[in-house]
Amino acid sequence: MDYPSTIFFADFPDFSPNLTPTQIFSLGSFGGTYWSPIYSTVSGEHLRDQHLEFEEWWDGIPENLLTNSNYQKTLNRYGVKSGTDLELWESKGWIHEQDPYGWVQWYCRFFSGRRTEDDMRQIRRWKAFTGPQGRFRRQLISKIMQKETSFSDEKVSPVIRQSLQHWAYQLTESDFDGDVMRRVENTFS
């Protein structure tokens, strides 16, 4: 498997995903259901075909990886169920009307150049989840260290790996090594 490179946004240099929107979906995410028709309680609308805003990105990606009506974990890169449903996200206040499908819709629009007042909130959420100090990224690294195996051993926590992929990130060797070094340095300081 080829591991991605960090994506750089000059106006937000501390936001450093390493998967593009196209990669998130081509690898297999959200059981294929992310862009399926929804009723948004936030906007009060029935929504469909929202992915067509970025139609050119999906060339070559099977439709069942984008708009499947039923979640199928076998469509996910790691073959596991990961994440929660839209209703929970809406109930927690994590969904704003401008992006009724959630974080990935925001990311697609941000990636294509849109900037809004919601950017800082969404980037804070990304950093808390998968940034250098993000809880899921650090949990995955801890599990790999406990198993004394390679950063790329996909048997170690496929659910966390799938979740990180949903947030536009895959663990890289340099990120793994850097975090391990920081932990060792902190132990001896």
Side-chain angles (χ1 to χ4, degrees):
M1 166 184 228
D2 291 332
Y3 285 88
S5 298
T6 300
I7 299 164
F8 181 72
F9 298 100
D11 51 343
F12 290 92
D14 60 338
F15 177 47
S16 54
N18 63 12
L19 295 175
T20 66
T22 302
Q23 290 169 318
I24 292 171
F25 291 100
S26 65
L27 290 167
S29 295
F30 307 103
T33 62
Y34 190 84
W35 296 109
S36 63
I38 64 167
Y39 174 75
S40 168
T41 61
V42 173
S43 70
E45 298 175 294
H46 289 277
L47 301 169
R48 63 181 310 115
D49 297 328
Q50 296 286 298
H51 67 299
L52 297 179
E53 178 180 346
F54 316 102
E55 190 169 12
E56 69 280 359
W57 292 354
W58 317 133
D59 282 349
I61 299 177
E63 192 68 21
N64 70 335
L65 292 181
L66 299 169
T67 62
N68 213 34
S69 57
N70 296 311
Y71 191 103
Q72 293 180 349
K73 68 181 184 179
T74 57
L75 296 177
N76 285 339
R77 163 76 178 85
Y78 299 97
V80 294
K81 181 166 181 1
S82 173
T84 56
D85 62 20
L86 179 65
E87 290 77 23
L88 176 71
W89 285 62
E90 288 177 334
S91 74
K92 297 282 188 185
W94 297 334
I95 304 290
H96 287 190
E97 189 172 350
Q98 74 174 14
D99 300 305
Y101 275 72
W103 188 86
V104 174
Q105 185 176 36
W106 169 84
Y107 180 54
C108 288
R109 290 172 170 165
F110 183 89
F111 189 88
S112 64
R114 183 191 75 176
R115 299 295 183 264
T116 72
E117 293 178 6
D118 198 30
D119 294 345
M120 290 307 299
R121 178 185 75 95
Q122 295 288 20
I123 291 169
R124 269 193 312 275
R125 293 177 67 225
W126 179 88
K127 288 168 71 174
F129 192 88
T130 191
Q133 300 301 315
R135 67 188 182 281
F136 277 69
R137 178 169 160 175
R138 294 194 46 109
Q139 283 177 21
L140 177 59
I141 292 169
S142 293
K143 289 175 184 286
I144 293 167
M145 291 172 67
Q146 289 167 359
K147 298 269 186 188
E148 297 180 352
T149 188
S150 165
F151 82 100
S152 60
D153 183 347
E154 293 182 2
K155 292 184 295 275
V156 177
S157 204
V159 173
I160 290 177
R161 289 178 187 275
Q162 187 69 49
S163 296
L164 291 170
Q165 180 178 298
H166 293 171
W167 287 79
Y169 179 78
Q170 284 182 342
L171 183 63
T172 64
E173 186 171 18
S174 63
D175 287 348
F176 176 78
D177 290 346
D179 194 270
V180 170
M181 281 303 278
R182 277 189 294 282
R183 293 176 192 209
V184 169
E185 289 169 1
N186 288 340
T187 302
F188 294 108
S189 58

